[in-house]
Amino acid sequence: MPDTSSKAPAAVATPRPRRRRRRSADWEGLLYVLPAAALVIVFFMIPLGMTIWMSLHKWPLMGKPRWIGLDNYSRLLGDSDFWNALGFTVQYTLAATAGLLGVALILALMVERPARGVAFYRTAYFLPVVTGFASASLLWAWLSNVDSGLFSPLAQTIGLTSEPVNILATFGPAFWSVTIMVVWKMAGFHMVILMSGLQSIPADYIEAARIDGAKAHQRFRYITLPLVRRPFALALILCVSGSMLAFDQFYIILSGGPQNQTVTAVYHIFNESFVSFRLGYGAALSVVLLAILLVLSAIQLRLLRDRGETR
Amino acid sequence: MTRMDNVLGERRTSGVSLEAVSKWFGNVKVLHDIDLDIQSGEFVVFVGPSGCGKSTLLRLIAGLEEVTEGEIRIGGRDVTDADPSNRGIAMVFQTYALYPHMSVAENMGFGLKVAGRPKQEIAGKVAAAADVLRLTDYLDRRPGQLSGGQRQRVAIGRAIVRDPDVFLFDEPLSNLDAELRVEMRIEIARLHQSLGNTMIYVTHDQTEAMTLADKIVVLRGGRIEQVGSPTTLYDDPDNLFVAGFIGSPKMNFLPAEVREGAIRVGGHPLPDPGLAARLAEGTRLQVGIRPEHLRPAEPGEPAMPLTAQFAEFLGGTTYLYGIVGEGLDCVMEVDRSVDTKQGNQLNVTAAPDDIRCFGEDGLRIR
């Protein structure tokens, strides 16, 4: 607007410095997010791009990678080992998620309100979370050892079984043993998430429901549960994605046994990539697993979506 | 009235009585031996400064807090240890406590739903209550999409649908702006008129108490200071606290002394208030006179000199703020003919019946 500026210089003169200030504020904002953005780019975006790039190659450990387009993906469709592993992973995810969230919710309800000794219990329930997955698995492998462990000799000593029982030798007990270990180790973490959700429900709602004549189970069903939906969704997504990526516990405790029945999807990817050194194929499997996780998370977010209520 | 009959099947209302009710929180006694009788159909307001125990008292009646000592009866039935849902009460919370994840209709019908009543009956009662409270157009909305006044009406609607014997209100208007507060106050009064239920209402606002109540219970420090109708409390307060708490602007309190057979403020005699017993010479006391009872004195009448400081013109009335004797603040209601210029000297007095005397212990001398 060249001619208006000459007529009303004052009116035009004021916005100019303000605009400049805003633009510099934009750059300043970018500066602040730069460290976080750099981390995401270096440790997530670039490896993701490299994985996708690798998945389009036949990529041996030594020798030159060769471009093979989507061959890895078409091969994957017929790879019954992968689909079996994925099937087992889903089975484990269902069991672990149900166990984890169920136990976590019960623990959260137990330690939600301030009372004598509650801090001790909160700490006790959370303590297993801070042990590493590998150390917890090693501990569990030892406890489950048929000769020198705890469970089998203990069961024998108190007369539960007449002879040693190797719980890691058959699929059923082995699977449930690992699942219980994971519940023991991770329930405290989800407990904290759900507890914070429970604590953010105003006491008024529960009191109003008491006056409305709602029994304890009705208050839980109609008031508490719907109002912890958001933290519950967070716990659910963390739980499902964590379980879909399960590896350490099955590798350390069971080594995929008995009869390779406890090989998870990641375990299979690990075998393909770092045992058989088919790095390109392993990358393709990883990409597929990522896609599955993305879809799962999207579905969960949609199912548990907030329907626009405000307090 | 007829619309309300759709909401309430049959009219039953109950009185509430408290007998020597005490409440301890840990080592702190917050309510001291409360005795109170509330007649069936009465509108009772608990009023007092914050921390006086009025909300705790209401929560004891609701059953949300446990009674430490004493007994509560509703409709003649001992409910001291009864569950809130079995007391025949409904409560409107200060925060409304509307369930945020439910629609207005679901909020109002929740009590009936958990009681396992048929859907049709619930819908009918909710619709009738919504009609009374002008909420019909909002039944599908969620509380978050409503204004403060609408939320308030939903909270009242939820109480009505429960068809209680006794309504409990816990500072229901304190989250509304001034204009809406007056509007809702009138609405609640109208509701009481048409429902005829016993209502117990907690507020710290003496105007709300005066305008709504059949009976006011003034509380301080966990004790009942006085119980009575608004006019009783206004005309005949038992003590300094009640006298100062009820009425706006506040009653003027002037330190006085009995000398030469007359009650004198700063040496100036007041008209004889006609006390039952003659006060001994030299007795110190507090004289309470409401601003609306002070008037310019006729020549020759016993009067106190008042120096005008500033005036508040409110349209119908003017409040003149001044100083009596040596630095005693005093407010009086004056009409426009009075010169309220700063520094202007007035001789003021009051009718003998309008002068209240309080002893040094704060109790009324009658």
Side-chain angles (χ1 to χ4, degrees):
Chain A
M1 303 188 295
D3 31 350
T4 47
S5 68
S6 61
K7 274 174 198 160
V12 181
T14 38
R16 210 174 271 157
R18 193 197 298 159
R19 194 171 300 154
R20 193 170 298 146
R21 209 177 306 136
R22 181 170 307 155
R23 197 173 297 150
S24 73
D26 287 348
W27 282 108
E28 221 174 279
L30 204 61
L31 202 67
Y32 290 137
V33 297
L34 209 58
L39 283 177
V40 171
I41 289 168
V42 171
F43 292 108
F44 183 71
M45 298 310 284
I46 293 176
L48 179 66
M50 282 168 68
T51 307
I52 293 172
W53 178 246
M54 278 174 85
S55 74
L56 301 172
H57 290 75
K58 188 177 168 64
W59 197 301
L61 186 63
M62 279 175 275
K64 266 181 101 71
R66 187 164 52 85
W67 174 270
I68 53 168
L70 294 174
D71 275 8
N72 277 332
Y73 290 94
S74 54
R75 181 180 149 202
L76 179 156
L77 291 175
D79 183 352
S80 63
D81 281 352
F82 176 66
W83 296 112
N84 285 340
L86 201 62
F88 170 71
T89 310
V90 169
Q91 186 188 353
Y92 165 73
T93 300
L94 290 176
T97 304
L100 269 175
L101 293 186
V103 171
L105 189 60
I106 292 168
L107 292 181
L109 287 169
M110 276 161 55
V111 298
E112 166 211 5
R113 299 271 164 235
R116 192 186 298 255
V118 148
F120 168 76
Y121 286 103
R122 282 180 194 164
T123 315
Y125 297 148
F126 190 76
L127 220 50
V129 177
V130 298
T131 53
F133 237 116
S135 20
S137 300
L138 278 173
L139 171 73
W140 209 257
W142 168 69
L143 289 173
S144 309
N145 189 292
V146 65
D147 299 318
S148 58
L150 174 71
F151 302 141
S152 173
L154 182 70
Q156 219 180 334
T157 311
I158 61 173
L160 223 57
T161 55
S162 56
E163 46 197 67
V165 177
N166 188 355
I167 53 171
L168 302 184
T170 38
F171 175 76
F175 172 74
W176 288 112
S177 159
V178 172
T179 308
I180 289 168
M181 187 281 282
V182 170
V183 170
W184 163 76
K185 157 128 178 55
M186 290 304 291
F189 177 72
H190 297 288
M191 172 195 81
V192 170
I193 296 176
L194 295 179
M195 190 176 76
S196 71
L198 287 173
Q199 285 171 338
S200 70
I201 299 176
D204 277 4
Y205 295 161
I206 304 297
E207 290 181 346
R210 278 178 68 191
I211 288 178
D212 269 340
K215 304 273 176 296
H217 69 275
Q218 288 170 323
R219 293 199 293 271
F220 181 71
R221 159 83 184 77
Y222 294 116
I223 311 294
T224 309
L225 266 191
L227 292 178
V228 292
R229 201 177 55 224
R230 248 180 289 186
F232 196 84
L234 174 65
L236 182 67
I237 286 171
L238 289 175
C239 209
V240 167
S241 49
S243 305
M244 287 297 288
L245 295 174
F247 169 66
D248 324 31
Q249 57 271 43
F250 291 103
Y251 180 65
I252 294 171
I253 301 176
L254 297 173
S255 310
Q259 290 107 41
N260 277 348
Q261 287 175 91
T262 60
V263 172
T264 61
V266 174
Y267 201 158
H268 185 69
I269 294 171
F270 169 81
N271 278 340
E272 287 294 334
S273 302
F274 305 117
V275 178
S276 309
F277 294 118
R278 286 189 281 265
L279 296 177
Y281 185 55
L285 294 174
S286 303
V287 171
V288 169
L289 189 59
L290 175 71
I292 291 171
L293 276 177
L294 268 179
V295 171
L296 278 181
S297 299
I299 291 172
Q300 290 170 65
L301 276 178
R302 210 177 160 72
L303 284 179
L304 294 161
R305 184 174 46 180
D306 198 23
R307 267 162 278 159
E309 72 239 20
T310 46
R311 281 178 196 155
Chain B
M1 193 71 176
T2 47
R3 283 194 303 177
M4 275 331 294
D5 290 339
N6 300 332
V7 187
L8 303 175
E10 52 185 296
R11 175 70 37 81
R12 29 187 188 93
T13 96
S14 325
V16 178
S17 72
L18 283 75
E19 216 171 280
V21 169
S22 295
K23 174 68 183 171
W24 295 74
F25 283 123
N27 296 325
V28 186
K29 194 173 190 181
V30 291
L31 287 172
H32 304 262
D33 297 321
I34 303 286
D35 286 305
L36 186 62
D37 249 318
I38 295 167
Q39 302 302 314
S40 167
E42 223 171 10
F43 198 121
V44 175
V45 175
F46 295 169
V47 70
S50 66
C52 70
K54 54 192 189 295
S55 279
T56 306
L57 191 56
L58 192 77
R59 291 169 61 82
L60 287 178
I61 296 171
L64 295 174
E65 302 281 356
E66 278 178 33
V67 177
T68 316
E69 287 160 31
E71 196 178 279
I72 298 176
R73 295 175 164 274
I74 296 177
R77 195 165 59 92
D78 182 359
V79 296
T80 314
D81 300 313
D83 196 69
S85 59
N86 296 330
R87 296 183 175 213
I89 50 132
M91 184 156 164
V92 176
F93 289 80
Q94 183 174 7
T95 57
Y96 318 136
L98 300 176
Y99 313 125
H101 55 293
M102 297 185 198
S103 69
V104 167
E106 288 168 331
N107 260 288
M108 287 166 66
F110 183 69
L112 298 176
K113 181 181 164 185
V114 295
R117 305 288 269 277
K119 277 194 176 137
Q120 219 169 355
E121 182 195 334
I122 300 176
K125 286 198 170 180
V126 168
D131 184 36
V132 171
L133 293 163
R134 301 194 309 276
L135 285 168
T136 309
D137 295 340
Y138 304 100
L139 284 176
D140 294 329
R141 301 255 185 110
R142 285 181 189 272
Q145 297 164 311
L146 301 178
S147 71
Q150 288 164 342
R151 284 183 213 184
Q152 179 63 75
R153 290 211 297 273
V154 176
I156 294 172
R158 187 167 65 180
I160 293 178
V161 169
R162 265 183 63 71
D163 186 10
D165 302 336
V166 180
F167 278 91
L168 307 177
F169 295 89
D170 187 6
E171 306 220 18
L173 307 184
S174 57
N175 285 348
L176 301 178
D177 62 55
E179 198 178 331
L180 209 51
R181 210 177 299 162
V182 175
E183 206 175 288
M184 287 304 299
R185 203 169 73 199
I186 294 165
E187 206 150 323
I188 289 175
R190 199 173 289 146
L191 196 72
H192 178 241
Q193 227 169 38
S194 59
L195 292 177
N197 288 49
T198 311
M199 295 192 175
I200 305 178
Y201 187 107
V202 163
T203 180
H204 60 267
D205 179 354
Q206 63 90 26
T207 316
E208 265 173 42
M210 294 288 278
T211 49
L212 284 169
D214 296 323
K215 182 150 96 188
I216 297 179
V217 178
V218 182
L219 288 147
R220 182 172 64 150
R223 289 192 172 81
I224 292 183
E225 292 283 325
Q226 194 176 356
V227 179
S229 69
T231 46
T232 310
L233 261 52
Y234 180 83
D235 292 336
D236 195 13
D238 277 347
N239 52 48
L240 268 178
F241 177 75
V242 174
F245 198 79
I246 301 292
S248 173
K250 274 177 68 160
M251 183 184 268
N252 298 300
F253 294 122
L254 306 166
E257 200 178 349
V258 179
R259 260 194 284 129
E260 293 164 30
I263 296 171
R264 291 169 188 270
V265 174
H268 306 281
L270 286 176
D272 180 12
L275 301 176
R278 278 196 69 81
L279 294 174
E281 194 73 8
T283 309
R284 293 175 174 278
L285 67 159
Q286 294 270 343
V287 166
I289 307 172
R290 297 202 179 274
E292 51 271 41
H293 294 149
L294 281 171
R295 59 174 173 76
E298 304 291 329
E301 263 187 310
M304 323 175 278
L306 180 134
T307 313
Q309 283 191 308
F310 64 95
E312 278 179 349
F313 174 64
L314 299 178
T317 56
T318 302
Y319 289 114
L320 173 64
Y321 291 78
I323 288 180
V324 168
E326 273 145 45
L328 302 173
D329 287 323
C330 187
V331 188
M332 72 180 286
E333 191 181 319
V334 294
D335 61 33
R336 290 191 194 192
S337 64
V338 174
D339 182 8
T340 58
K341 208 163 68 224
Q342 192 187 356
N344 190 31
Q345 286 265 349
L346 282 169
N347 275 326
V348 298
T349 188
D353 286 350
D354 293 331
I355 297 172
R356 319 263 171 268
C357 299
F358 302 91
E360 286 198 299
D361 54 0
L363 294 180
R364 176 85 179 277
I365 304 170
R366 286 194 163 93

